[in-house]
Amino acid sequence: MDSSNGHPPKPGRLLTGRRQPLDRICNTIRTRTSQAVFLMAGPGIGKTALAEAITERLAADMIVVQIHGSSSLSRVPFGILAPYTAELTAEDSVSPVAVLRSVWSYFERLKAGRDAPLLLVMDDAHHLDDATAGIVADMISAGWASVVAAGRPRPGLPQPLAQLWYDGLADRVDLRPLNREQIEEVLAHALDGTVPAGTVDTIWSASGGNPRILDALLHDAAEGGQLAKRNGIWMLLDPLPPDGPRLTNVVVKDMLRRTAAEQEALKLIALAGPVSRKVIEDICGAEVVRSLLDQQMVVESHGTPADLRIWNAMFGDALRLTISVSRSLQLLERVREHLATSPAGSEGRLRAVEWALECGVKTGEPELLEAAGTALAHFRNRSVRAMAAKITDPALVPAAHAVQARALFNEGDYAGAAKLLDGCWLQLGDGPGAAPALMLRTLAHRAMGTPLAAFAADSRELLRTSPAETGTDSATDWREQLLRMLEFGEAGNYAALEHEVQDLRSRNPGSGTDPALLTVGAALLAQTLAAAGRAVQGLDAGLMAASGLSSLDSGVFFFNEFVLGRLAAAYLAVGDWESAERELVDYAARQPRDAAAFAGSIQVLRGYSLLRQGRIERAYQTLLPAVETLRLNDPAQEFRFGAALAFYVAARLGDAAQSSRLELDYKDSPQGSASQDLLATAYAAAGSEYITRDGKGLASLHTLATTPVVSARSGTLLELLGLCWDLGDHSVIPLVHNLAGSVQGRWAAAFLSLAQHWESADADALMEMAARLENEGFVNVAREAYARASSVFEAAGERRRSRQAVALREKCDHELGERFREGQFIAAAPTVRLTRREQDIVELAVQGLTDREIAQRLMVSVRTVEGHLYRTYVKLGVRSRDELSTALAH
């Protein structure tokens, strides 16, 4: 495995995300569309970098003069122009006319007879004094010079310059923080390799789109090893560091520009935030708070009362780390009385507890437990562990251990989580945290490789020997019912699960644990029904499970993710790709951006969805990063499933190196749930067949299809037969025909249509069916129908109609992202046989992508691209890229 950090090249000022405003401003200045452009942006957004880029781009065509505003000279008339007015007398140095003449004389000497326009570039123009601003405004109005003035929206440009914009004599460009797409562009430019969505999201969230913070974070994380390249993919191995040298330097330099009062207020807000605005105003003064808000150094909530926090969480964390413990304690003592009398939300109370712990101040244990629960909701695992470890009250220790176990689970320490839960799950009694703790204990032991049957037997023995701790008869205990449902789900026994779920729904009144049990039971029922071919009913069960999530405390156990995976799988079994994607997108939008524990699981579901749709290339691009993410943290135990899917698509696309590695990942990983493991086995067998083409993988699929555990799951069996068919095994078509009619859902109906028409000699019926399936969203099935129709037309001598069917099949290929595709169903193949990878690379090369861009798109090395292109040139008899299009056209 490639474990080198692969330090990124210096992204410079990260102008990759600023090409559009750069081009626009330079074009405006060159064409004299406007005599002046005002570039406005908050601190760190990149106005200085953009001004420097404008200077560099226009220096060859214009005479550029650079001026930098200064806060120390903002009250000195013409102070900033002193280098150009040195020859003036003291009396003339304050005369606008004399200063203008002197400056213009300097510019004329600078031109030295060159017939080139003058460009005045001013940075920090918000610090210009009014007198200087008036001189610049006169130069613009007279057409003596073009001006690019970069400044902050608050306090804004001096009135003489602002008036030009109001009068329409100047353009204004407002730079915003980089959006996600721009961040992704920056990372692609700065890092040599693939940057998965999870890494992009985390860096975007942490930087807030601020280029200065982004630059610091990228370098600190790469140099500190938190950001490293694994198998060609840039992964965040640990949280982004708030104490990196570059980010610390950004904070220190910024603080040096602040007044003493502003520094004090910022430190208090960083240490206590979110904190009531009134508290900071009482201590530091309302004027200081207004100044910091104007400078956008702090942001204010819209609640009542209004809270303040540092504009960027990473900046705030870094600022806190620059404050010594003794100074932090002084500030805590200063603000404590105000905090005690000011209401605070749960996040504010959490920060207060964290601050007290940082200073070594004793905190009540109930407050510690409450704060640990809040920290868990925000995935601040380190804080959770620190708080929970300090709780010694016997009445609170079981709950503290459960919360601490979840934090360890989030970090991938399943053994540590299991050990804590083994000691507390019975002590929690029938309280609201009892069922979540048992579910988490189950998953922690499963992650360690313990079979469910052995875990359940051990748990029952503990229940039998510890009745005093539960207070109930183990035969009727809710814990026994939960264990039964887990076993029924593992066995695929949907009838027994239906009975348990119905029992839970009929209880009136129910116990306090019933909502959690009902949610788990309904989610398991959704999974077993979908596997059994009853996907529509499974979807109903999944929606029932989802409807109960709002009433559950999901702090200790991840009910949301447990239900989401099964609900999305039910949608996929039905064939409703759009709803499955909507559920995954909605989940991502609801979660904290730094909650990366389940990112890999979500991406595996996305990749599986794309695979079911036939979007193989996109599935590959999604599954490879997902597997690397799960290698770091796999709370839902989906690594084996994800590795099998990724191995399958890599093999199908002809990527030998990746498929070989992923096959080992699949074989060496522990088993997951029974339902997923069956699918993993099937996809791995199909992947092996794509590599060897010796019939052994296909034989393994046939053997698997005849086992009782698969034959009892009609939905799983149909998916397995589909893999056989896609490998070119037409012997399964009658089986598909007989089975698909008994499997619920639109996907099974589409497959049934294809099987019914496959042996038909009615090409018109095939074409009609293919068009219908394409409109219904089953493009991959429609593609095979078009391919079959083209073969039938060709056999009947109808060449024109055969070409028409081929064109429609190619349209499907294009929609699926597979313009070139080798397979058993393709009627028209090129005379020269290119491998799938060669075809992909050739297509991108014809589109004009460079070798490096192709490598990044396909997640391979540049050397691999070069080698494939060379072999393609030999096969096609061409010498360069320029000849590829012509060769392929023939």
Side-chain angles (χ1 to χ4, degrees):
M1 180 169 64
D2 173 16
S3 59
S4 63
N5 281 359
H7 294 253
K10 180 175 177 59
R13 294 289 187 167
L14 298 172
L15 280 169
T16 308
R18 300 298 194 196
R19 298 299 179 193
Q20 187 174 357
L22 175 61
D23 294 341
R24 173 185 166 188
I25 293 170
C26 290
N27 184 62
T28 296
I29 296 299
R30 279 198 180 106
T31 60
R32 303 292 183 91
T33 305
S34 180
Q35 198 72 21
V37 177
F38 299 154
L39 179 59
M40 310 303 291
I45 298 298
K47 60 184 181 301
T48 298
L50 192 53
E52 291 176 355
I54 293 168
T55 299
E56 182 179 350
R57 181 175 290 190
L58 297 179
D61 304 319
M62 306 181 76
I63 298 173
V64 181
V65 177
Q66 294 178 278
I67 296 177
H68 294 271
S70 169
S71 58
S72 61
L73 295 175
S74 61
R75 299 182 184 277
V76 180
F78 306 120
I80 200 172
L81 298 178
Y84 316 113
T85 60
E87 298 177 358
L88 295 179
T89 65
E91 182 179 356
D92 285 343
S93 65
V94 295
S95 166
V97 174
V99 169
L100 182 58
R101 286 174 177 170
S102 179
V103 170
W104 186 247
S105 296
Y106 173 84
F107 290 161
E108 286 295 311
R109 290 195 300 273
L110 192 64
K111 291 175 71 172
R114 288 177 56 196
D115 185 20
L118 180 69
L119 174 62
L120 183 61
V121 179
M122 300 186 298
D123 195 15
D124 287 339
H126 53 281
H127 286 315
L128 292 182
D129 61 278
D130 285 343
T132 300
I135 290 286
V136 174
D138 289 342
M139 294 173 63
I140 295 171
S141 299
W144 286 1
S146 296
V147 172
V148 174
R152 295 184 183 177
R154 298 179 181 180
L157 297 178
Q159 196 277 332
L161 293 179
Q163 189 63 47
L164 292 176
W165 179 62
Y166 296 144
D167 294 340
L169 300 178
D171 283 354
R172 172 170 169 153
V173 175
D174 287 278
L175 282 188
R176 306 296 182 190
L178 298 174
N179 58 32
R180 188 194 183 284
E181 183 179 348
Q182 290 169 321
I183 291 286
E184 189 170 18
E185 182 185 355
V186 168
L187 295 179
H189 175 76
L191 304 176
D192 179 19
T194 298
V195 187
T199 302
V200 175
D201 288 338
T202 301
I203 293 175
W204 176 39
S205 174
S207 68
N210 184 289
R212 183 168 55 179
I213 301 296
L214 174 62
D215 192 7
L217 286 176
L218 273 182
H219 282 86
D220 286 342
E223 291 163 8
Q226 292 86 4
L227 178 64
K229 189 158 64 171
R230 295 289 185 267
N231 297 309
I233 298 171
W234 285 94
M235 305 298 301
L236 281 169
L237 308 183
D238 288 299
L240 290 166
D243 58 348
R246 290 178 183 257
L247 183 58
T248 301
N249 187 50
V250 168
V251 171
V252 170
K253 284 184 175 180
D254 189 276
M255 291 295 283
L256 289 174
R257 293 198 293 265
R258 310 288 162 200
T259 65
E262 289 174 342
Q263 290 183 29
E264 186 89 342
L266 285 171
K267 290 177 181 178
L268 282 172
I269 296 169
L271 289 165
V275 59
S276 168
R277 175 174 178 170
K278 184 177 184 305
V279 168
I280 304 301
E281 287 181 337
D282 289 345
I283 297 173
C284 302
E287 184 178 349
V288 171
V289 171
R290 283 195 299 271
S291 174
L292 291 174
L293 285 168
D294 283 344
Q295 296 175 60
Q296 298 175 297
M297 289 304 299
V298 298
V299 293
E300 182 178 19
S301 72
H302 298 296
T304 304
D307 287 335
L308 299 177
R309 65 178 74 214
I310 299 295
W311 65 278
N312 175 275
M314 289 297 296
F315 188 97
D317 291 344
L319 175 55
R320 279 202 301 273
L321 292 172
T322 65
I323 305 170
S324 67
V325 174
S326 58
R327 179 61 178 142
S328 180
L329 182 58
Q330 289 177 340
L331 293 171
L332 176 59
E333 293 299 329
R334 185 176 180 186
V335 79
R336 176 177 286 184
E337 183 178 339
H338 295 272
L339 291 176
T341 59
S342 177
S346 59
E347 195 176 352
R349 293 194 297 273
L350 165 61
R351 182 57 213 145
V353 172
E354 288 178 329
W355 190 4
L357 290 178
E358 291 163 5
C359 295
V361 176
K362 187 173 177 60
T363 303
E365 293 193 0
E367 289 78 13
L368 280 173
L369 186 57
E370 179 197 8
T374 303
L376 194 59
H378 291 273
F379 284 79
R380 285 150 72 163
N381 300 312
R382 192 172 300 174
S383 290
V384 174
R385 291 189 283 105
M387 294 170 188
K390 291 185 176 296
I391 294 176
T392 58
D393 184 345
L396 301 178
V397 164
H401 281 179
V403 170
Q404 189 176 7
R406 174 61 195 277
L408 290 171
F409 194 94
N410 288 345
E411 295 172 336
D413 184 358
Y414 306 122
K419 183 178 180 180
L420 283 172
L421 291 164
D422 286 345
C424 75
W425 72 287
L426 290 173
Q427 299 171 16
L428 290 168
D430 296 331
L438 179 52
M439 283 298 298
L440 188 67
R441 178 172 177 263
T442 305
L443 268 293
H445 278 278
R446 291 296 302 274
M448 295 165 60
T450 305
L452 180 61
F455 171 81
D458 174 71
S459 299
R460 288 190 176 100
E461 179 62 20
L462 289 172
L463 284 170
R464 187 184 67 79
T465 58
S466 308
E469 291 195 72
T470 64
T472 57
D473 178 8
S474 62
T476 59
D477 189 22
W478 61 264
R479 299 169 184 81
E480 169 59 31
Q481 185 173 22
L482 181 55
L483 291 171
R484 283 200 308 271
M485 290 193 300
L486 291 170
E487 288 177 312
F488 292 149
E490 187 77 359
N493 190 343
Y494 62 84
L497 266 174
E498 280 182 316
H499 176 76
E500 297 288 350
V501 169
Q502 187 57 41
D503 174 61
L504 287 164
R505 296 185 70 186
S506 63
R507 291 179 185 174
N508 189 18
S511 70
T513 58
D514 279 1
L517 265 63
L518 180 58
T519 297
V520 170
L524 292 170
L525 181 59
Q527 184 177 36
T528 55
L529 285 169
R534 299 171 62 179
V536 174
Q537 293 167 279
L539 182 56
D540 290 339
L543 292 171
M544 177 172 58
S547 68
L549 289 173
S550 60
S551 64
L552 296 179
D553 174 14
S554 58
V556 173
F557 181 68
F558 41 93
F559 288 106
N560 285 335
E561 293 77 12
F562 186 83
V563 171
L564 173 67
R566 288 153 180 82
L567 177 60
Y571 274 122
L572 294 179
V574 170
D576 189 347
W577 325 125
E578 295 80 7
S579 294
E581 179 65 14
R582 185 189 66 244
E583 292 291 341
L584 297 175
V585 169
D586 288 350
Y587 166 82
R590 292 193 305 267
Q591 300 308 302
R593 286 241 169 90
D594 55 352
F598 293 91
S601 300
I602 299 302
Q603 290 305 102
V604 163
L605 284 171
R606 276 211 170 97
Y608 181 46
S609 173
L610 292 166
L611 182 55
R612 292 288 297 266
Q613 296 173 58
R615 303 181 187 278
I616 305 300
E617 188 69 55
R618 286 185 57 196
Y620 187 53
Q621 295 168 356
T622 302
L623 286 167
L624 254 66
V627 169
E628 294 307 314
T629 303
L630 290 176
R631 199 186 303 279
L632 300 174
N633 200 354
D634 183 21
Q637 282 89 66
E638 293 198 346
F639 180 79
R640 180 179 173 87
F641 181 56
L645 297 180
F647 165 50
Y648 170 78
V649 294
R652 185 164 168 172
L653 294 173
D655 192 333
Q658 289 283 21
S659 61
S660 176
R661 178 180 62 80
L662 289 163
E663 185 178 23
L664 289 176
D665 285 338
Y666 158 74
K667 291 179 177 178
D668 294 343
S669 57
Q671 294 184 353
S673 69
S675 181
Q676 279 195 346
D677 202 56
L678 288 173
L679 289 174
T681 303
Y683 277 100
S688 177
E689 182 64 24
Y690 271 111
I691 291 175
T692 62
R693 290 292 185 180
D694 58 3
K696 293 181 180 179
L698 196 57
S700 297
L701 283 170
H702 277 274
T703 301
L704 184 63
T706 60
T707 59
V709 69
V710 172
S711 58
R713 292 172 163 90
S714 299
T716 301
L717 178 57
L718 184 60
E719 189 170 351
L720 191 152
L721 294 176
L723 290 173
C724 293
W725 193 348
D726 208 35
L727 283 164
D729 180 9
H730 294 176
S731 70
V732 301
I733 296 176
L735 297 175
V736 172
H737 192 172
N738 294 333
L739 178 65
S742 63
V743 176
Q744 296 176 351
R746 297 168 55 232
W747 175 76
F751 228 59
L752 177 61
S753 295
L754 183 62
Q756 288 173 332
H757 290 84
W758 188 262
E759 297 300 329
S760 170
D762 188 348
D764 289 320
L766 279 164
M767 293 288 284
E768 182 180 345
M769 179 200 67
R772 174 174 55 81
L773 292 176
E774 186 179 1
N775 290 333
E776 290 175 356
F778 298 100
V779 181
N780 57 330
V781 184
R783 175 179 59 189
E784 309 307 342
Y786 284 130
R788 177 62 175 164
S790 71
S791 298
V792 175
F793 280 132
E794 185 72 22
E798 297 188 50
R799 297 287 182 85
R800 183 186 63 80
R801 299 201 66 191
S802 177
R803 288 195 296 271
Q804 179 187 19
V806 169
L808 290 170
R809 187 218 73 215
E810 289 179 343
K811 174 175 172 285
C812 291
D813 287 343
H814 182 74
E815 183 176 344
L816 294 171
E818 295 188 86
R819 182 176 174 185
F820 300 103
R821 178 176 181 270
E822 288 185 308
Q824 298 293 327
F825 308 138
I826 301 304
T831 303
V832 177
R833 301 292 292 182
L834 301 179
T835 69
R836 174 54 196 270
R837 180 57 76 196
E838 288 170 348
Q839 291 171 356
D840 289 339
I841 290 174
V842 165
E843 179 184 7
L844 295 175
V846 169
Q847 293 175 13
L849 274 68
T850 66
D851 289 356
R852 182 170 297 280
E853 289 170 338
I854 295 172
Q856 291 177 347
R857 179 79 65 87
L858 300 180
M859 293 182 286
V860 297
S861 69
V862 175
R863 183 171 296 179
T864 298
V865 173
E866 293 170 345
H868 279 302
L869 280 176
Y870 174 77
R871 286 189 290 274
T872 301
Y873 294 164
V874 173
K875 287 182 179 181
L876 297 176
V878 301
R879 292 170 294 179
S880 68
R881 286 173 179 246
D882 296 335
E883 299 175 12
L884 279 176
S885 297
T886 303
L888 290 173
H890 292 82

